[in-house]
Amino acid sequence: MTTVLTYGTFDLLHIGHLNILEGLKAKGDKLIVGVSTDEFNQQKGKRSLFSYEQRARMIAGLKCVDMVIPEEHWQQKADDIKEFDVDIFGMGSDWQGKFDHLNELCEVIYLPRTPDVSSTNLKNALSVINKKSIQDIKNGLDNLYDIVKAMG
Ligand code: CTP
């Protein structure tokens, strides 16, 4: 039985998340995912759109995921590797080299990051839509104002 462990925020679940989780599951038999709690995200200066409970439920609902645990601080990785008898620790290539020190506890791998998609991109796209909606409403109100003014 080969156990694989990974971590992430996984806000606004997207194809990059599914690709890495499926890729990591293919490296072993059991995949454990540490999902960052809202408090930990705050420490990292991140704010997710979905709460920890929602993100954890969505990750737990994926066929390739066997277990979800909360990620509460930077130092827990070594403890989790020991507690869950982890064989492989894996992250996306944006973390290349950052966790090599865990090599003394288990194998450390980095899988290629899926290009052109991220939670940040999606959040930015959503905020553009919001700004556009606000402008549309403003234009509608300006038109209404002109009509009322013309009525005297
Ligand atoms: N990931 C990936 N390909 C992407 C986006 C993320 O392989 N296009 C991987 C990351 O490398 C990480 C895991 O998915 O191992 C969780 O990443 P997370 O930070 O939650 O996702 P991002 O979309 O990168 O979020 P953000 O924009 O907030 O950094």
Side-chain angles (χ1 to χ4, degrees), residues 6-11 14 16-17 20 46 91-95 112-114 117-120:
T6 191
Y7 296 88
T9 298
F10 301 102
D11 194 22
H14 58 68
H17 293 149
I20 187 141
K46 259 191 174 184
M91 292 293 289
S93 52
D94 45 323
W95 293 95
R113 191 179 157 89
T114 304
V117 63
S118 75
S119 305
T120 305

Side-chain angles (χ1 to χ4, degrees), residues 70-129:
E71 183 191 26
E72 295 171 305
H73 53 87
W74 287 112
Q75 289 77 31
Q76 79 182 65
K77 293 181 179 73
D79 291 340
D80 289 344
I81 289 170
K82 288 176 216 151
E83 178 177 349
F84 298 107
D85 208 6
V86 169
D87 301 285
I88 301 173
F89 175 86
M91 292 293 289
S93 52
D94 45 323
W95 293 95
Q96 190 73 42
K98 298 266 165 47
F99 298 104
D100 287 356
H101 59 280
L102 297 171
N103 251 324
E104 54 191 42
L105 298 171
C106 67
E107 186 186 346
V108 177
I109 59 170
Y110 304 93
L111 298 190
R113 191 179 157 89
T114 304
D116 303 329
V117 63
S118 75
S119 305
T120 305
N121 285 354
L122 292 171
K123 269 182 235 170
N124 289 341
L126 286 173
S127 71
V128 169
I129 292 167

Side-chain angles (χ1 to χ4, degrees), residues 33-97:
V33 183
V35 174
S36 303
T37 61
D38 297 328
E39 294 73 18
F40 183 47
N41 275 337
Q42 215 170 6
Q43 284 175 40
K44 290 191 280 184
K46 259 191 174 184
R47 195 165 174 272
S48 59
L49 228 77
F50 290 126
S51 68
Y52 168 75
E53 285 73 20
Q54 291 168 323
R55 290 179 286 113
R57 273 190 63 194
M58 283 189 275
I59 295 299
L62 299 177
K63 207 159 55 169
C64 56
V65 174
D66 298 286
M67 185 179 175
V68 169
I69 57 170
E71 183 191 26
E72 295 171 305
H73 53 87
W74 287 112
Q75 289 77 31
Q76 79 182 65
K77 293 181 179 73
D79 291 340
D80 289 344
I81 289 170
K82 288 176 216 151
E83 178 177 349
F84 298 107
D85 208 6
V86 169
D87 301 285
I88 301 173
F89 175 86
M91 292 293 289
S93 52
D94 45 323
W95 293 95
Q96 190 73 42

